[in-house]
Amino acid sequence: QVQLVESGGGLVQTGGSANLSCAASGPTFSNYAMGWFRQVSGKEREWVAAIGWNAESTYYADSVKGRFSISRDNAKNTAWLQMNSLTPEDTAIYYCAADLTITPPRKSVQYDYWGQGTQVTVSS
């Protein structure tokens, strides 16, 4: 079983950056594909980015492509989401998730484990 804890959220100005971290517990972090999602109150959880177990494959939603970067370090049991050129539309609670699979899915229902989320607010 994997436990995930996100950190790094906060208040950011438009055009600014934030780097979210997802710390995982358990010895099998390297077996899991990781995903980042975000959710605005009253809306469905939206897939943002994903990375394969060995970090060789990364995937991005069109809305963040070229601005966000997902990475991981299996030795540190940590995944990151570097977010640049932020806009108010990026304001949301950001969640990391883990799935025991080779190719990371893009649907939230396919992920096995979730963190508690971290709020990112981008001011205009």
Side-chain angles (χ1 to χ4, degrees), residues 8-20 38 46 48 63-69 81-94 118-124:
L11 180 62
V12 184
Q13 290 187 337
T14 295
S17 299
N19 190 25
L20 305 183
R38 64 188 181 186
E46 175 191 16
V48 174
S63 59
V64 306
K65 198 172 295 182
R67 300 188 299 123
F68 291 12
S69 178
L81 184 68
Q82 175 66 42
M83 306 186 296
N84 300 323
S85 302
L86 287 164
T87 74
E89 287 67 37
D90 296 313
T91 295
I93 299 175
Y94 283 74
T118 185
Q119 175 72 48
V120 174
T121 302
V122 184
S123 62
S124 58

Side-chain angles (χ1 to χ4, degrees), residues 3-6 22 45 94-98 113-118:
Q3 292 184 327
L4 305 174
V5 178
E6 302 96 335
C22 176
R45 194 164 293 188
Y94 283 74
Y95 299 89
C96 67
Y113 303 102
W114 291 85
Q116 82 290 347
T118 185

